[in-house]
Amino acid sequence: MMINSVYSNKDIFLRELISNASDALDKRRIETLQNSELAENTKPEIKIDINSDAKTLSVSDNGIGMTRDELINYLGTIAKSGTKEFLKAAKDDSTKQELIGQFGVGFYSVFMVADKVEVVTRKLGTAETYKFTSGGDGSYTIEDAPQRDECGTTVTLFIRENKEDGAKNYLEEWTIREIISKYSDFISWPVIFKDNTINSQKAIWQRPDSEVSEDDYKEFYKHLTHDWQDPLMHIKINAEGSTNFKGLLFVPSQAPFDLFMNRESGGVSLYINRVFIMNDCKYLIPEYMRFIRGVIDSEDLPLNISREILQEDAFIRVIRRSTQRKIFNEFKKLLEKDREKYIKFWLAFGKIFKEGIVQDHDHAKNILDLALFRTTNSDEWTTISEYEARMKPDQQGIFCLTGRDSLAALKASPKLEQFINKGYEVLLMTDPVDEVILSDLRFILPDDAKKLLNISDDEVSAQTDDEKKDAEKKLKALEKDFEPLKKIAKEIFADKLEDVRPSVSLTNSPVCLSGGMSFQMENIMRSVGQFVPPQKRILELNAEHPVIKKLVEMAKNNDKDEKVTDILKILYDQSLILEGAAPDDPADFAKRVNEVVALALGE
């Protein structure tokens, strides 16, 4: 009952036995360093044997071994850790860095797959050999056994037959190889199976850069991720201090097809002293960096009793902060030294990385500084700081426009016209998260000098105070002549528009929608299941445009003219399209456009 409540994955038993064997070899090495008389001329190794006829699986080591009393204490007592006891007794506290086991429960994971277990062991420096036998029912026996040729321990599992559909057969060679490759590939001691060493023993993140080539990093990345392409870059981490850990992180060269759909895919794997603990360890890296692949290997992370679940604590927070800081620094270096490669990164993962501005307010400024944008001045990518260097002296802030995914469609927005005519550069923000960033920026970066101004807001204008006063005078003069057309439009769109008004800020486009929530923000809210109340917007009609002038004249002469109604409906649908929305009735829109075309052709 205890084992089934502690462990969730049966494969773990082999990892635990190999980890225990590795600990035993480490302890023997340390013991012989302190007492050279105990040294023996043997090659340290871990052996695995299977006997299909007897249905047994054995894990052997020539490590430190156990005495009778230690068998009672460490195997006969649940949660009694031999490693902990060794650490207390060790003269050199640095041994902590080499040992894995902390709870003394791992041995009992064998009863997930075995009906019985036998442990034959001989302690280093002694002649006695003992056999421990248990069926996992709470009882055990210890008896003398024929002497082992050398010190160490052999654990033999009598594997129970598992008749469940799809159940693994732990007596099959490929199963053993698969488990060791996943969980114990980087154990520093050789794991021997079928007379071959089957673990790589190459914890590449533990080796100095001088010993690792770029091809080595690429090969490890492909082994780790099963991605056939080379990574875009790698990031080496070596943190020493109150918390010691190493890491090797990679940025893929392109986003996997399911990255935006599957937020659980990939991630950073956690190892403790080169022993695999878990994939996609969410505690170690924020969600907006979920495209990062790699390994974090810690020496002193606390786990829960099964070593399957990481506990959130101060150690994790230190690792997380250090890892983020390293990633930010490496991205900054790449941006400054290899712009072309950084743009590749941004094209693949910029949409995800920018989510951090909203999710992680503590690092929002770092992320914003690393963000790339297109602008109205050029198709080249630019940063916020580069934009600021080009700003006009009288510019009130950084002008931005959010909208459709298509850059070309955003460039066609009527809202840009007054800014372009005044020579202002506008950031074009086509990612959905940009809408959220601009709407929440006053909460995210309340004291930041960078003022990102959304030109869709009525308060943001390219006009000076004097120009605004002149515009108000012009609009006042237009009110009387414009009133008939406004009346018709408000009757047609009573359920859609809050108001219809003339505009003198538009130059090329006849119409523009303003006010209310953006269509992109509506889509974002609906995609996360939020209710979006009906939005009533303002239809702005360009008072200087020939089409609008003609409509004003037609409405003034005959407010029942059906042509005015038809053209207003076409213009309204056109304004929706320019905002990235579809006409309310596409078929009706197409019909009206065809009628206008036929009229223009004289048919």
Side-chain angles (χ1 to χ4, degrees):
M1 180 181 70
M2 190 277 296
I3 290 303
N4 287 331
S5 65
V6 168
Y7 292 97
S8 60
N9 182 357
K10 291 182 179 181
D11 294 355
I12 295 296
F13 84 91
L14 191 53
R15 180 195 73 181
E16 295 296 303
L17 292 182
I18 293 174
S19 297
N20 289 344
S22 176
D23 282 349
L25 290 168
D26 287 329
K27 292 173 188 176
R28 177 178 176 177
R29 178 180 61 82
I30 294 165
E31 195 72 24
T32 54
L33 286 174
Q34 296 174 352
N35 186 352
S36 59
E37 294 180 0
L38 296 175
E40 297 179 9
N41 187 24
T42 57
K43 179 183 177 182
E45 61 186 12
I46 301 167
K47 288 185 177 180
I48 298 177
D49 293 296
I50 55 176
N51 185 327
S52 299
D53 294 333
K55 295 184 179 179
T56 61
L57 183 152
S58 298
V59 178
S60 304
D61 65 74
N62 50 1
I64 197 168
M66 289 178 279
T67 64
R68 181 186 181 90
D69 288 342
E70 287 172 337
L71 277 173
I72 295 171
N73 284 333
Y74 304 149
L75 300 190
T77 306
I78 290 177
K80 181 79 169 182
S81 172
T83 297
K84 273 194 169 181
E85 296 294 320
F86 184 81
L87 290 176
K88 289 179 182 178
K91 297 176 183 179
D92 182 2
D93 188 58
S94 66
T95 56
K96 176 185 178 186
Q97 298 179 6
E98 302 295 333
L99 304 174
I100 302 166
Q102 292 288 314
F103 292 100
V105 177
F107 169 76
Y108 289 93
S109 64
V110 299
F111 292 112
M112 291 190 294
V113 300
D115 291 318
K116 185 176 77 169
V117 63
E118 290 181 353
V119 180
V120 176
T121 184
R122 173 190 150 197
K123 179 77 172 188
L124 176 68
T126 69
E128 296 82 9
T129 302
Y130 300 97
K131 182 168 76 171
F132 170 100
T133 306
S134 176
D137 56 359
S139 64
Y140 64 89
T141 62
I142 296 178
E143 58 187 316
D144 293 337
Q147 185 173 353
R148 283 175 57 106
D149 293 336
E150 59 181 339
C151 65
T153 301
T154 298
V155 181
T156 301
L157 284 63
F158 293 80
I159 303 296
R160 77 168 61 95
E161 185 178 359
N162 193 337
K163 297 181 179 179
E164 296 178 8
D165 290 339
K168 289 185 178 179
N169 183 347
Y170 293 105
L171 298 174
E172 289 184 349
E173 179 177 345
W174 74 268
T175 302
I176 301 301
R177 291 182 180 274
E178 177 189 47
I179 295 173
I180 291 173
S181 175
K182 179 176 182 179
Y183 290 100
S184 305
D185 194 47
F186 305 117
I187 288 286
S188 57
W189 304 108
V191 178
I192 310 298
F193 182 56
K194 301 285 187 179
D195 296 323
N196 293 309
T197 300
I198 62 171
N199 62 320
S200 70
Q201 302 173 247
K202 296 179 180 179
I204 191 172
W205 60 87
Q206 295 279 1
R207 295 158 60 188
D209 284 337
S210 59
E211 296 180 4
V212 185
S213 69
E214 192 62 34
D215 286 340
D216 290 334
Y217 285 122
K218 291 176 182 178
E219 182 182 344
F220 176 73
Y221 169 77
K222 293 174 181 178
H223 166 77
L224 183 74
T225 64
H226 307 294
D227 183 358
W228 61 273
Q229 296 192 57
D230 291 337
L232 187 69
M233 64 183 293
H234 73 266
I235 300 171
K236 194 84 173 284
I237 301 173
N238 186 3
E240 295 181 348
S242 57
T243 299
N244 298 315
F245 69 95
K246 298 179 186 293
L248 181 56
L249 307 178
F250 296 91
V251 177
S253 57
Q254 66 179 28
F257 73 94
D258 64 341
L259 186 62
F260 293 93
M261 299 177 288
N262 180 12
R263 302 180 90 86
E264 305 295 322
S265 65
V268 175
S269 298
L270 172 67
Y271 284 71
I272 293 185
N273 283 324
R274 300 179 300 279
V275 176
F276 174 79
I277 302 300
M278 67 177 74
N279 274 322
D280 191 19
C281 186
K282 297 177 179 60
Y283 299 110
L284 298 179
I285 204 163
E287 187 178 351
Y288 62 88
M289 290 182 176
R290 63 186 179 274
F291 54 87
I292 296 283
R293 301 290 185 264
V295 169
I296 294 291
D297 188 359
S298 173
E299 297 171 357
D300 42 21
L301 268 182
L303 299 173
N304 78 331
I305 196 169
S306 68
R307 290 194 244 179
E308 289 185 88
I309 303 170
L310 193 64
Q311 295 172 345
E312 175 71 49
D313 74 345
F315 289 106
I316 294 298
R317 290 191 290 273
V318 169
I319 291 177
R320 184 185 177 103
R321 285 196 299 268
S322 298
T323 302
Q324 284 180 271
R325 186 163 55 246
K326 182 69 173 179
I327 292 171
F328 287 138
N329 289 339
E330 291 300 314
F331 282 168
K332 184 178 180 182
K333 289 179 187 176
L334 187 66
L335 175 61
E336 294 171 349
K337 296 180 179 179
D338 193 338
R339 187 67 166 244
E340 185 177 346
K341 183 181 283 190
Y342 189 83
I343 289 173
K344 289 181 181 178
F345 153 71
W346 192 257
L347 288 170
F349 304 109
K351 289 182 181 181
I352 296 175
F353 191 55
K354 272 193 295 184
E355 292 175 5
I357 298 174
V358 178
Q359 297 172 1
D360 186 358
H361 291 189
D362 290 340
H363 295 96
K365 189 176 183 302
N366 292 332
I367 301 168
L368 192 59
D369 288 341
L370 290 166
L372 295 181
F373 302 95
R374 297 275 178 72
T375 80
T376 51
N377 283 15
S378 171
D379 287 335
E380 299 296 322
W381 292 95
T382 189
T383 64
I384 293 290
S385 60
E386 291 166 348
Y387 176 100
E388 286 181 304
R390 299 191 295 267
M391 283 172 57
K392 290 177 174 290
D394 62 340
Q395 193 167 333
Q396 56 186 299
I398 298 171
F399 295 127
C400 309
L401 179 63
T402 62
R404 306 170 62 169
D405 290 340
S406 166
L407 186 66
L410 197 57
K411 282 184 175 181
S413 172
K415 294 174 182 177
L416 290 170
E417 292 176 2
Q418 63 165 309
F419 295 88
I420 292 174
N421 290 338
K422 294 293 292 290
Y424 289 118
E425 185 176 15
V426 181
L427 292 184
L428 301 173
M429 306 172 77
T430 58
D431 296 329
V433 70
D434 294 328
E435 291 276 356
V436 184
I437 291 171
L438 286 189
S439 63
D440 288 357
L441 197 65
R442 63 186 182 277
F443 304 113
I444 297 170
L445 295 170
D447 302 322
D448 195 85
K450 297 181 177 69
K451 291 180 62 180
L452 273 65
L453 305 175
N454 191 342
I455 66 172
S456 294
D457 294 342
D458 286 342
E459 297 119 16
V460 179
S461 173
Q463 296 175 327
T464 64
D465 291 339
D466 289 340
E467 288 170 335
K468 289 177 183 177
K469 290 178 182 178
D470 290 342
E472 288 175 4
K473 290 178 183 177
K474 289 181 181 179
L475 292 173
K476 190 74 174 174
L478 290 170
E479 281 184 2
K480 184 177 180 181
D481 289 341
F482 191 79
E483 187 59 34
L485 181 62
K486 177 177 179 178
K487 180 181 177 182
I488 296 171
K490 292 193 74 171
E491 287 176 355
I492 297 171
F493 307 113
D495 60 336
K496 296 182 176 68
L497 298 176
E498 178 185 328
D499 196 9
V500 178
R501 66 190 184 196
S503 170
V504 292
S505 62
L506 294 172
T507 54
N508 300 322
S509 302
V511 291
C512 177
L513 279 177
S514 63
M517 184 186 302
S518 72
F519 289 96
Q520 186 142 296
M521 181 61 80
E522 282 190 43
N523 292 335
I524 292 171
M525 292 181 66
R526 289 193 183 97
S527 69
V528 296
Q530 293 191 32
F531 170 73
V532 180
Q535 299 290 305
K536 284 197 170 186
R537 298 177 172 84
I538 297 169
L539 183 65
E540 297 188 24
L541 302 176
N542 183 357
E544 301 297 324
H545 196 280
V547 172
I548 304 304
K549 284 183 176 180
K550 183 65 176 177
L551 285 177
V552 168
E553 183 182 338
M554 292 169 67
K556 189 165 55 175
N557 294 334
N558 180 8
D559 61 4
K560 302 296 184 185
D561 193 333
E562 289 186 5
K563 290 180 183 177
V564 174
T565 298
D566 288 341
I567 294 173
L568 279 173
K569 287 183 177 181
I570 290 174
L571 291 174
Y572 173 72
D573 285 339
Q574 176 184 315
S575 69
L576 289 175
I577 293 170
L578 290 172
E579 287 296 313
D584 295 335
D585 187 343
D588 184 65
F589 172 67
K591 175 175 173 291
R592 293 181 190 281
V593 169
N594 291 334
E595 288 174 352
V596 170
V597 170
L599 186 64
L601 294 174
E603 296 182 5

